[in-house]
Amino acid sequence: MAAEEIPHVPDAVNAAPEGAHAGTAAAEHGGGGGLPQFEFQYWGGQIVWLLLIFIVLYTLMSRVFIPRLRRVQDTRAQTIASAVAEARRVQDEADAQAAAARAEIDQARTRARTVAAEAKAKANAEFAARQAEADARIAEEVAAAETRIRGLRDSAMASVGDIAVETAGAMVQRLTGTVASAADLRAAVKGAA
């Protein structure tokens, strides 16, 4: 049975080497072979496959990939826009807080200047009052001292006359050896002054 199963085909075996030789000869002479996509008989199938692949790719791009890219771009644009808006809002708040801080600093400086001016005026008033009080006390002490000095001077002047009379009497007694009268000595001292 094994012999029956294998058919004997002598013409096919003999034809193959001749066809192979014919194709080789044609290739050597430049008459055939080459790239099959450039052969006109295959163009119909290639155009069908080209259109089919183009339609599939176009459908995938328009229905899947491009909408995803648009969503990503829209999300990115919204994220950037919201970040920019938030940054502007924060910047505006910071500017407002800086302006409020500057206003508070200016008010504090004004209050400090006012308090300093009031303190200076109060200190000057207290100093003037103390100085006036000290001047009055010094004037009283000077007046009292001048009164004492006048009294001492008057008593000294009164004593000067008595001292001059005594000194003149002592000199007369020593020079002349006699004691002069007090009335004569007083008259002599008054005449010399």
Side-chain angles (χ1 to χ4, degrees):
M1 270 195 132
E4 291 179 6
E5 290 179 9
I6 299 177
H8 179 47
V9 188
D11 291 335
V13 172
N14 290 332
E18 288 179 13
H21 179 61
T24 319
E28 287 177 3
H29 297 297
L35 298 173
Q37 59 267 26
F38 289 134
E39 292 183 19
F40 185 71
Q41 63 184 356
Y42 298 118
W43 282 11
Q46 289 176 358
I47 290 173
V48 169
W49 279 107
L50 175 69
L51 291 175
L52 182 68
I53 290 172
F54 178 78
I55 291 170
V56 169
L57 287 176
Y58 181 78
T59 305
L60 283 174
M61 291 294 283
S62 66
R63 305 281 180 185
V64 177
F65 298 122
I66 292 177
R68 285 184 185 175
L69 286 174
R70 281 192 186 135
R71 279 195 301 269
V72 168
Q73 287 178 341
D74 291 343
T75 304
R76 183 174 179 251
Q78 288 174 351
T79 303
I80 291 171
S82 65
V84 168
E86 180 68 17
R88 285 186 182 144
R89 185 187 64 78
V90 169
Q91 180 67 35
D92 291 341
E93 285 180 9
D95 290 343
Q97 289 176 354
R102 280 192 296 270
E104 287 178 8
I105 289 171
D106 290 342
Q107 288 175 353
R109 284 182 181 159
T110 304
R111 281 194 306 257
R113 287 183 188 132
T114 304
V115 168
E118 289 174 358
K120 185 176 181 181
K122 184 178 179 182
N124 286 341
E126 288 177 3
F127 177 73
R130 287 181 185 165
Q131 187 174 8
E133 182 181 312
D135 288 345
R137 190 176 60 237
I138 289 171
E140 287 175 7
E141 290 176 2
V142 167
E146 285 178 353
T147 305
R148 277 192 312 245
I149 290 171
R150 263 188 250 122
L152 291 173
R153 186 186 66 208
D154 290 343
S155 68
M157 290 307 273
S159 300
V160 166
D162 291 340
I163 293 172
V165 169
E166 286 178 14
T167 305
M171 287 169 60
V172 168
Q173 182 180 3
R174 197 173 216 172
L175 289 173
T176 58
T178 61
V179 177
S181 73
D184 289 338
L185 288 174
R186 279 196 184 111
V189 169
K190 273 188 182 181

